[in-house]
Amino acid sequence: MSAEVICIGTELLLGDIVNTNAQFFGQQLASLGVPHYYQSVVGDNPERIKRALQIACDRAEILLFAGGLGPTPDDLTTATLADFFDSPLRERPEVLAEIEAKFARRGRTMSPSNRKQALFPDGAEVLPNPTGSAPGIIWQPRPGLSVLTFPGVPGEMQCMWYESAVPYLKSLGYGREIVHSRMLRFWGIGESTLAEKVRAFLDLPNPTVAPYASRGEVRLRISARAPSEAAAREAIAPIESQLRAIAGPDCFGVDDDTLASAVGRHLCALDATVAVAESCTGGGLGHALTSVPGSSAYFRGGIIAYQNAIKTELLGVAPELLARQGAVSADVAEAMAAGVRTQLGSDWAVGITGIAGPDGGTDTKPIGLVYVGLADPNGRTTSYELHLGSWRERDAIRHSSVCNALDRLRRQLLACCYPDGSVPPL
Amino acid sequence: MSAEVICIGTELLLGDIVNTNAQFFGQQLASLGVPHYYQSVVGDNPERIKRALQIACDRAEILLFAGGLGPTPDDLTTATLADFFDSPLRERPEVLAEIEAKFARRGRTMSPSNRKQALFPDGAEVLPNPTGSAPGIIWQPRPGLSVLTFPGVPGEMQCMWYESAVPYLKSLGYGREIVHSRMLRFWGIGESTLAEKVRAFLDLPNPTVAPYASRGEVRLRISARAPSEAAAREAIAPIESQLRAIAGPDCFGVDDDTLASAVGRHLCALDATVAVAESCTGGGLGHALTSVPGSSAYFRGGIIAYQNAIKTELLGVAPELLARQGAVSADVAEAMAAGVRTQLGSDWAVGITGIAGPDGGTDTKPIGLVYVGLADPNGRTTSYELHLGSWRERDAIRHSSVCNALDRLRRQLLACCYPDGSVPPL
């Protein structure tokens, strides 16, 4: 018994969007231990959808569809499934009522075209969509064949997956032996360097350890197959502590932790506050810090000093300093941190100034040159010079600037929390 | 005659990586005018690869494979193709020599396992890989059937595509007719509402018009098939102007435009500056505005007033107002905008205050309640009350807050640029 993923949408074939839904299905099926051998993508065309459907029926017993549940004429999934399995479509009044209610809640009136989203094949159950308008179906059109449909919008699809599809698959007997994973997150070390350090762990059969890297962050995924999540956690724990002992402060968190949440955790432990002064990141550092729920407990606020005049007027950076060193310099980064710490009355403060490009680079100060300034509770300032690569895109340089600033702050906070250098619990 | 994409790799089925190669193939085939109706993903398993191959042979005449060209035992693409088409594998000395040379150039010695990368089916041509070790093949195993293989590493695959696959496809007669697209971008209108307004256009044969939606933004993609890009542009232009006349100010841009770049365009036209005061978005609005290269021409900076004390101290929001109306109120949003406009000496200013959740919501002020305040060059302030949905995630609410704030500013700027309500050129 296996599952097959069919993503529907001409925009996928045209490459307008990348198929993250297929990736999500893959991860989820693996974690539930559902075998999964094929994925396919087909456009908004009934005949081709039927052809793909025929092939999938011959190969799998659980068919997962994403896309084509919208209100527009090229949303054909439900109608095509009904046609293929010879089951008439009927409007479900309760579904229609709920769609109308959702529009009403947003102060909008439902347009007639949304009416088709209430059409369901006979015998199909409604797969509720708590966040969007289009519900999906859970249907056994033939004995031993399950068909589940989801909208293409990732947020809606994932919410529906967790709330309805997972319980359904468990009712079919899956998830008895589960795969539970724990992701260790690292900043400030390269993938190959980390892989070398933990080489011995990469060949373990169960739990397995696999490295991943993206946008400067490196991750180690520890995955255990076990009868229960508790048993999996037990198997993972010793591996994790060994890995973290090897990696030391380069490991900033696990699972959903971010550099920002790690910073928040340490600030809470120290009962301290932070403020930010940003130039090239334009607010990205504040935005990252406040992405953490409850960040108002330690984040005072910040000053986006994008133009030099603001650096002087609001942050008290001396005009001579700006003239002598230039806005992109270690001294200015430290002065920005010191200035915002005073202005906002925070314990800690971070200043960022740099050249994100695509213009503004020079031989002495190339694109990708970024300075991070830190001010500690005693007003002592330090700074870090970053070379983020003149070949890189503006967005990548700004993102990396924010991450590196958070990481520098994190390491200073960590040293305050654990002066003995011990590995903190996560 | 159509092409089909087959991506090979168990890591794709496990969701360890997202299938960006399929997206790249899709974009490229579309731009060359090569019909492309199906994509599939299959794991590192010879029998399943053959099964997928059999299906693809029945549906398409050009098969594009990505993945499975590496040196490890689970890299099976070439061997499986040779087996399927009954063609013996032979080692190509010139390929082996080149692989060894590549390793030598990087100061490394080739490991024996790389030797298999020099094995090619009889009759297959080498598809050179300038950047990596594994070359691909260009092969016509049967009359009228072309098979091209690429490594899974996107950088290598793309380089090989441009250097060898594109010329090959042109030699087959493709690329004479190309497909050129233009994406119209909308904010402030739902997908179904827009689709109904432009319903008549959605059935056009060429150019075609198709709606997409994601995270509150709606897009209309106009795609024209034509002998040249110039001819395609000519065919698209009248459709675009009709669509934009229908949509009016809801259309904020085309192609790579963003709400932030639209705001920037209008500010430049008015030779005006802007500043931001942010609470719940924590710097996200400034970050968005500064994502546009050259934004220093009009973006002065901002104040992230995350805690109420900062709203008072730095933005001059009256403590009584905060006490009476609460930080999340229309008056405070306007006061924040007015305050930052004065503080930073900008022409325009935006203030955002709201409840992003997951905590902090009440019956009268639920999660998702956000106020956007605008101050214009005369100091007049207006505000907008947004209900972004108490069921939505913190990130989604913050993202939507930033987009809506940009959109409100954009519409006021647009009205200044085009008082007669005419449709601006894009």
Side-chain angles (χ1 to χ4, degrees):
Chain A
M1 185 121 145
S2 72
E4 186 153 333
V5 171
I6 301 174
C7 297
I8 294 176
T10 301
E11 70 271 31
L12 286 164
L13 293 177
L14 291 171
D16 289 337
I17 55 174
V18 64
N19 195 351
T20 55
N21 290 341
Q23 179 181 31
F24 176 82
F25 280 131
Q27 292 167 335
Q28 290 295 312
L29 291 168
S31 73
L32 289 168
V34 181
H36 165 223
Y37 304 125
Y38 300 96
Q39 296 179 338
S40 45
V41 173
V42 57
D44 304 309
N45 173 296
E47 288 322 305
R48 295 191 198 109
I49 293 172
K50 282 185 205 166
R51 200 163 165 186
L53 187 50
Q54 183 58 60
I55 290 163
C57 290
D58 299 342
R59 295 191 299 204
E61 297 72 30
I62 302 168
L63 308 188
L64 304 174
F65 288 84
L69 300 189
T72 64
D74 64 358
D75 291 304
L76 302 160
T77 304
T78 310
T80 307
L81 283 166
D83 184 22
F84 182 86
F85 291 111
D86 261 322
S87 172
L89 282 174
R90 294 220 171 75
E91 185 173 275
R92 304 276 176 100
E94 75 281 11
V95 176
L96 185 62
E98 200 184 320
I99 295 174
E100 284 170 327
K102 276 178 184 154
F103 275 90
R105 255 186 267 126
R106 295 171 207 178
R108 287 159 50 193
T109 54
M110 189 191 91
S111 73
S113 57
N114 289 93
R115 216 182 164 92
K116 72 185 272 194
Q117 297 180 307
L119 291 173
F120 281 72
D122 275 356
E125 286 173 46
V126 176
L127 200 167
N129 179 347
T131 58
S133 70
I137 63 176
I138 297 189
W139 190 21
Q140 298 200 319
R142 296 174 185 165
L145 179 69
S146 297
V147 174
L148 285 73
T149 68
F150 303 81
V153 181
E156 297 180 19
M157 179 273 258
Q158 293 178 18
C159 171
M160 293 162 71
W161 174 267
Y162 291 119
E163 292 198 2
S164 303
V166 171
Y168 176 74
L169 290 172
K170 288 191 168 168
S171 77
L172 295 182
Y174 290 104
R176 294 221 180 99
E177 196 181 44
I178 58 106
V179 174
H180 180 71
S181 299
R182 186 138 156 113
M183 190 72 85
L184 301 190
R185 301 181 168 275
F186 304 81
W187 190 271
I189 183 170
E191 182 180 20
S192 50
T193 313
L194 181 60
E196 284 304 318
K197 279 187 165 191
V198 302
R199 161 160 241 94
F201 293 81
L202 303 184
D203 303 326
L204 295 177
N206 183 32
T208 59
V209 177
Y212 303 96
S214 69
R215 303 183 84 189
E217 181 185 332
V218 179
R219 283 161 288 151
L220 289 177
R221 189 176 73 181
I222 315 172
S223 298
R225 181 174 293 275
S228 73
E229 191 175 316
R233 289 184 185 281
E234 231 171 81
I236 287 170
I239 307 291
E240 174 180 347
S241 52
Q242 293 172 64
L243 290 172
R244 296 199 45 223
I246 293 170
D250 290 336
C251 178
F252 67 81
V254 296
D255 295 340
D256 297 337
D257 289 340
T258 62
L259 285 164
S261 67
V263 163
R265 192 170 59 240
H266 299 327
L267 285 169
C268 289
L270 296 166
D271 189 23
T273 61
V274 68
V276 299
E278 307 188 53
S279 184
C280 62
T281 48
L285 179 56
H287 190 245
L289 282 163
T290 55
S291 67
V292 182
S295 44
S296 53
Y298 51 81
F299 181 67
R300 296 271 296 161
I303 289 172
I304 306 170
Y306 208 58
Q307 297 183 340
N308 283 351
I310 310 298
K311 293 185 180 72
T312 305
E313 292 158 22
L314 271 74
L315 292 171
V317 179
E320 315 81 64
L321 183 63
L322 284 165
R324 199 171 64 249
Q325 308 278 351
V328 178
S329 61
D331 292 351
V332 168
E334 292 185 36
M336 288 171 68
V340 78
R341 177 173 169 273
T342 315
Q343 272 274 25
L344 273 71
S346 62
D347 301 308
W348 295 80
V350 187
I352 303 183
T353 177
I355 300 161
D359 313 312
T362 67
D363 293 353
T364 51
K365 295 189 176 181
I367 288 166
L369 175 65
V370 175
Y371 292 91
V372 171
L374 290 186
D376 73 10
N378 305 313
R380 271 192 310 264
T381 60
T382 50
S383 59
Y384 305 89
E385 181 176 301
L386 309 172
H387 297 269
L388 303 178
S390 51
W391 64 89
R392 285 166 78 196
E393 301 259 315
R394 179 178 177 85
D395 282 354
I397 289 170
R398 277 155 44 96
H399 172 78
S400 188
S401 302
V402 167
C403 293
N404 280 290
L406 288 169
D407 188 58
R408 295 303 185 170
L409 174 60
R410 175 186 71 86
R411 288 171 190 264
Q412 283 203 15
L413 295 169
L414 189 64
C416 295
C417 293
Y418 303 92
D420 61 348
S422 63
V423 178
L426 285 178
Chain B
M1 184 121 147
S2 72
E4 185 153 334
V5 171
I6 302 173
C7 297
I8 294 174
T10 301
E11 70 274 27
L12 286 165
L13 293 177
L14 291 172
D16 288 340
I17 55 174
V18 64
N19 195 351
T20 54
N21 289 341
Q23 180 181 29
F24 176 81
F25 279 130
Q27 292 167 336
Q28 290 294 313
L29 291 169
S31 71
L32 288 168
V34 182
H36 165 223
Y37 304 125
Y38 301 95
Q39 297 178 337
S40 44
V41 173
V42 57
D44 304 309
N45 173 296
E47 290 321 307
R48 295 192 199 108
I49 293 173
K50 282 185 204 165
R51 201 164 164 184
L53 186 51
Q54 183 58 60
I55 290 164
C57 290
D58 299 342
R59 296 191 298 204
E61 297 72 29
I62 301 168
L63 309 187
L64 304 173
F65 288 85
L69 299 188
T72 66
D74 64 358
D75 290 304
L76 302 158
T77 303
T78 311
T80 307
L81 283 166
D83 185 20
F84 181 86
F85 291 111
D86 255 324
S87 172
L89 281 173
R90 294 220 170 73
E91 186 173 273
R92 303 278 176 97
E94 75 281 11
V95 176
L96 185 61
E98 198 183 324
I99 296 174
E100 283 170 328
K102 276 179 186 155
F103 276 90
R105 259 184 262 121
R106 298 174 208 167
R108 288 157 49 198
T109 53
M110 189 190 90
S111 75
S113 58
N114 290 92
R115 210 179 170 96
K116 72 185 273 192
Q117 297 179 306
L119 292 173
F120 280 71
D122 275 355
E125 286 174 45
V126 176
L127 200 166
N129 180 346
T131 57
S133 69
I137 63 176
I138 298 188
W139 190 21
Q140 297 199 319
R142 298 174 185 163
L145 178 69
S146 297
V147 175
L148 285 71
T149 68
F150 302 81
V153 182
E156 297 180 21
M157 180 273 258
Q158 294 178 18
C159 172
M160 292 162 71
W161 174 267
Y162 291 119
E163 292 199 4
S164 303
V166 171
Y168 177 74
L169 291 172
K170 289 192 167 169
S171 76
L172 294 183
Y174 291 105
R176 293 204 189 116
E177 217 185 23
I178 58 104
V179 173
H180 180 71
S181 299
R182 186 140 157 111
M183 189 74 82
L184 301 190
R185 300 180 170 275
F186 304 81
W187 190 272
I189 184 170
E191 181 182 18
S192 48
T193 313
L194 179 61
E196 265 157 44
K197 278 188 166 191
V198 302
R199 163 161 233 95
F201 293 82
L202 303 184
D203 304 325
L204 293 177
N206 183 31
T208 59
V209 176
Y212 305 104
S214 68
R215 301 183 86 192
E217 181 185 331
V218 178
R219 281 160 288 146
L220 287 178
R221 184 178 205 275
I222 314 172
S223 297
R225 182 178 295 273
S228 71
E229 190 174 317
R233 289 183 187 282
E234 234 170 78
I236 287 170
I239 307 291
E240 173 179 349
S241 53
Q242 292 173 66
L243 290 172
R244 295 197 47 221
I246 293 170
D250 290 337
C251 178
F252 68 81
V254 296
D255 295 340
D256 296 337
D257 289 341
T258 61
L259 284 164
S261 67
V263 164
R265 192 170 59 240
H266 299 326
L267 284 169
C268 289
L270 296 166
D271 190 22
T273 60
V274 68
V276 298
E278 307 188 54
S279 185
C280 63
T281 48
L285 179 55
H287 190 245
L289 282 164
T290 55
S291 67
V292 182
S295 43
S296 53
Y298 51 83
F299 181 66
R300 296 270 296 160
I303 290 172
I304 305 170
Y306 207 57
Q307 298 183 341
N308 284 351
I310 311 298
K311 294 185 180 74
T312 305
E313 293 157 22
L314 272 72
L315 293 171
V317 178
E320 315 81 65
L321 184 63
L322 284 165
R324 198 171 65 249
Q325 308 278 350
V328 179
S329 61
D331 293 350
V332 167
E334 293 186 37
M336 289 170 68
V340 78
R341 177 174 170 273
T342 314
Q343 272 276 22
L344 274 70
S346 61
D347 301 307
W348 295 80
V350 187
I352 303 183
T353 177
I355 300 162
D359 313 313
T362 67
D363 293 353
T364 51
K365 295 188 176 181
I367 289 168
L369 175 66
V370 175
Y371 292 92
V372 171
L374 289 187
D376 73 11
N378 304 313
R380 270 191 312 265
T381 60
T382 50
S383 59
Y384 305 88
E385 181 176 302
L386 309 173
H387 297 267
L388 303 178
S390 51
W391 63 89
R392 284 167 79 197
E393 300 258 317
R394 179 179 177 85
D395 283 353
I397 289 170
R398 278 155 44 96
H399 172 78
S400 187
S401 302
V402 167
C403 293
N404 280 290
L406 288 168
D407 188 57
R408 296 302 184 170
L409 174 60
R410 175 185 71 87
R411 288 171 191 264
Q412 284 204 15
L413 294 169
L414 190 64
C416 294
C417 293
Y418 303 91
D420 60 349
S422 63
V423 179
L426 286 179

